[in-house]
Amino acid sequence: MIGSSDRLSAGLYLIATPIGTARDITLRALDILRDADVLLAEDTRNLRKLMEIHGIPVGGRRLWTYHDHNGAAVRPKILELVAEGHSVAFASDAGMPMIADPGFDLARAMTERGLMVTTAPGPSAPTVALALSGLPTDRFLFAGFLPPAASARDRVLAELEAAPATLVFFETAKRCVPMLHGLLARLGDREAAICRELTKKFEEVRRGTISALIEGCESDPPRGELVVVVDRRRDSVSSEDMETALRQALATMGVKDAAAFVAEGYGVKKRDAYQMALRLSDEG
């Protein structure tokens, strides 16, 4: 535990920050922000505001900007500070550092020099959206922002088309409809969700097929930064194969567990597997 009288060990501390509600930050993250020798942020104004909300003074500590454009110049200074025994806290603008945020090169350089890198984990928009989407969470692939150009976007989607996982993307409101059309053309009319204003007052999750989401966005365009979650590909499974698998599962499992097991294995909806398992169980 990091207490008020503890001095942080030399190293880089990756601090997750709230994606909306300021109180979502962890107590450990606040401890580190209070005790670190040096503070880094993609935008120092955002970090100052967060620290003010929680009553943590910057004091006389160094508060530096670190982003993709100045990273090459700032990195050597940070490495030297840590090597000299200082603790450095790096806070993202929102969410976990290095998840669509700068900092990867810094963390890698730290580990290459044998210097400590650790994290105070916390909110992350991809996992929040995944939890709210209503889509399978057992396996997912975060793909960040798709290219805005249609041809480049389609090339990326072609690589993801057969991925046996729920797909998670970031997108802007302005590019949302073209992106959805690209998804529909390449992936088909899968189940999906659009999540916006996560953890904020006007949080909204739109669920449905991709075609239905396109229709909704054209009539009522979403605003702000979005997370788009798309179901994995569902290969067609014959009812005979599913019935055979369910009979085998029911020999050692209850109806609910057997249905969940077969649904996961065949990539079908749990509801469909459960209804068939219930029927087979009633038949004895």
Side-chain angles (χ1 to χ4, degrees):
M1 290 293 292
I2 297 171
S4 58
S5 61
D6 292 325
R7 188 180 188 281
L8 293 177
S9 300
L12 177 66
Y13 295 78
L14 304 173
I15 308 298
T17 58
I19 60 177
T21 304
R23 289 178 63 83
D24 282 343
I25 195 166
T26 68
L27 295 175
R28 181 165 177 261
L30 293 177
D31 286 344
I32 294 171
L33 289 174
R34 181 196 62 216
D35 297 336
D37 299 323
V38 181
L39 301 169
L40 286 184
E42 185 177 3
D43 188 327
T44 56
R45 294 168 298 181
N46 292 337
L47 182 56
R48 279 185 182 275
K49 182 177 180 181
L50 180 65
M51 292 174 67
E52 287 173 2
I53 289 172
H54 292 287
I56 300 175
V58 174
R61 292 179 293 172
R62 283 165 282 200
L63 174 56
W64 290 349
T65 301
Y66 184 90
H67 48 65
D68 290 333
H69 301 296
N70 73 349
V74 176
R75 251 190 323 275
K77 301 176 184 178
I78 300 302
L79 291 169
E80 285 307 310
L81 284 171
V82 173
E84 292 170 2
H86 294 285
S87 56
V88 178
F90 176 51
S92 65
D93 268 358
M96 277 294 298
M98 297 189 292
I99 305 298
D101 274 319
F104 172 73
D105 289 334
L106 176 59
R108 183 168 62 177
M110 292 279 296
T111 57
E112 287 175 350
R113 287 191 55 171
L115 300 172
M116 187 193 76
V117 179
T118 188
T119 182
S124 181
T127 53
V128 172
L130 187 68
L132 296 178
S133 69
L135 297 172
T137 60
D138 59 301
R139 185 185 299 171
F140 65 93
L141 190 158
F142 173 62
F145 285 94
L146 288 171
S151 57
R153 180 173 60 229
D154 190 63
R155 284 195 297 272
V156 174
L157 289 175
E159 297 174 357
L160 301 175
E161 184 177 4
T166 301
L167 304 176
V168 184
F169 304 95
F170 283 165
E171 194 50 273
T172 64
K174 183 177 180 181
R175 298 189 335 202
C176 180
V177 171
M179 181 256 203
L180 290 174
H181 277 291
L183 294 176
L184 181 62
R186 170 56 65 176
L187 305 182
D189 203 12
R190 301 186 186 184
E191 292 291 320
I194 299 174
C195 308
R196 60 177 292 269
E197 294 291 294
L198 292 173
T199 77
K200 301 177 184 176
K201 181 178 180 180
F202 298 106
E203 177 179 280
E204 178 189 23
V205 180
R206 303 185 186 188
R207 304 177 183 88
T209 61
I210 295 175
S211 60
L213 291 174
I214 291 174
E215 184 178 348
C217 289
E218 288 177 339
S219 61
D220 180 18
R223 292 176 291 278
E225 297 291 333
L226 314 175
V227 184
V228 179
V229 186
V230 182
D231 199 2
R232 68 196 66 182
R233 185 174 71 180
R234 300 290 181 177
D235 295 322
S236 59
V237 180
S238 70
S239 60
E240 291 79 8
D241 287 343
M242 194 160 80
E243 181 173 327
T244 298
L246 282 170
R247 287 186 184 281
Q248 293 173 345
L250 285 168
T252 57
M253 304 179 190
V255 171
K256 186 176 180 180
D257 289 340
F261 176 77
V262 172
E264 171 63 23
Y266 280 93
V268 298
K269 293 182 179 180
K270 289 183 180 179
R271 180 184 62 215
D272 295 339
Y274 180 78
Q275 289 174 345
M276 181 177 284
L278 196 61
R279 175 176 60 80
L280 293 173
S281 177
D282 289 341
E283 292 174 0

